[in-house]
Amino acid sequence: MNTEDLKIDTSTMQLTVDIMDIPTSCVIVICDGKAKLRELPTHGEYKIVTHQGKVKRMRIEQGEEF
């Protein structure tokens, strides 16, 4: 799975993403001024674990068709 840290412009507090440069199935998670892009699996679950309103962990569980 691809993991990419995205840059937030601190002067404008904006995140700019070119949709032509990212995977067709992905998720962007933003917390505490940080942004991360993760590609989603073809089969599976993607869990975002939070604690006290903050993202602690991003967990992936993959499977395959039988």
Side-chain angles (χ1 to χ4, degrees):
M1 289 293 112
N2 291 342
T3 303
E4 182 179 341
D5 292 338
L6 300 175
K7 185 168 172 79
I8 297 175
D9 185 349
T10 55
S11 64
T12 61
M13 294 308 290
Q14 291 185 344
L15 173 65
T16 304
V17 179
D18 184 356
I19 61 169
M20 299 302 288
D21 292 337
I22 62 173
T24 55
S25 296
C26 64
V27 63
I28 297 174
V29 179
I30 302 169
C31 182
D32 286 338
K34 298 179 199 171
K36 292 191 180 217
L37 179 139
R38 296 279 173 103
E39 186 176 357
L40 295 174
T42 53
H43 295 92
E45 296 179 7
Y46 202 82
K47 295 182 182 181
I48 299 169
V49 180
T50 62
H51 179 69
Q52 295 181 344
K54 296 183 181 185
V55 177
K56 287 294 180 184
R57 175 177 320 114
M58 296 191 296
R59 185 181 316 163
I60 189 167
E61 293 182 28
Q62 289 189 15
E64 65 180 66
E65 295 283 333
F66 183 70

